Amino acid sequence: MAFTFYIYYRVDPQKAGACGPLVRQILSAVREATGIQGRLLTKHGEPNLWMEVYEGVADEAKFEWDLAEIAGRLKVQEYLQSGTTRHVECFQDP
């Protein structure tokens, strides 16, 4: 069974320029830790709503643990709009 993770969040507009390189660092660290290459999207018409997508995850529990550890270590929360957080959603293939 394969899983896909969608992580969405609102970036502080004043920190968006610095957040881009940080998220690329997260994508790279996740790839190194899990072998899964993620990608970054922004919502059309709402450039401060960002989403990371990770497809083909075999072990959802380990992946979610690794992802949380990496995001915490790199302090991505400091780049988000005040009062918001990263939302993690996991979907599976039917």
Side-chain angles (χ1 to χ4, degrees):
M1 182 174 296
F3 298 89
T4 301
F5 279 78
Y6 299 91
I7 298 89
Y8 59 96
Y9 44 93
R10 294 191 182 279
V11 174
D12 182 328
Q14 296 177 349
K15 298 178 181 178
C19 191
L22 177 75
V23 173
R24 284 188 282 286
Q25 219 180 336
I26 291 171
L27 295 172
S28 178
V30 167
R31 185 184 70 245
E32 289 176 25
T34 68
I36 302 294
Q37 177 61 59
R39 56 194 171 106
L40 176 64
L41 306 170
T42 59
K43 184 173 181 183
H44 176 71
E46 206 171 330
N48 293 318
L49 182 55
W50 293 17
M51 179 183 288
E52 297 163 38
V53 179
Y54 301 93
E55 299 174 292
V57 175
D59 184 341
E60 80 279 8
K62 181 183 181 321
F63 182 85
E64 192 163 1
W65 178 268
D66 288 341
L67 180 64
E69 187 278 324
I70 291 165
R73 179 170 31 94
L74 294 177
K75 302 180 192 257
V76 69
Q77 186 66 35
E78 295 177 7
Y79 295 82
L80 306 187
Q81 285 184 354
S82 179
T84 67
T85 188
R86 289 166 51 95
H87 301 277
V88 178
E89 303 288 345
C90 178
F91 289 76
Q92 65 187 36
D93 293 339

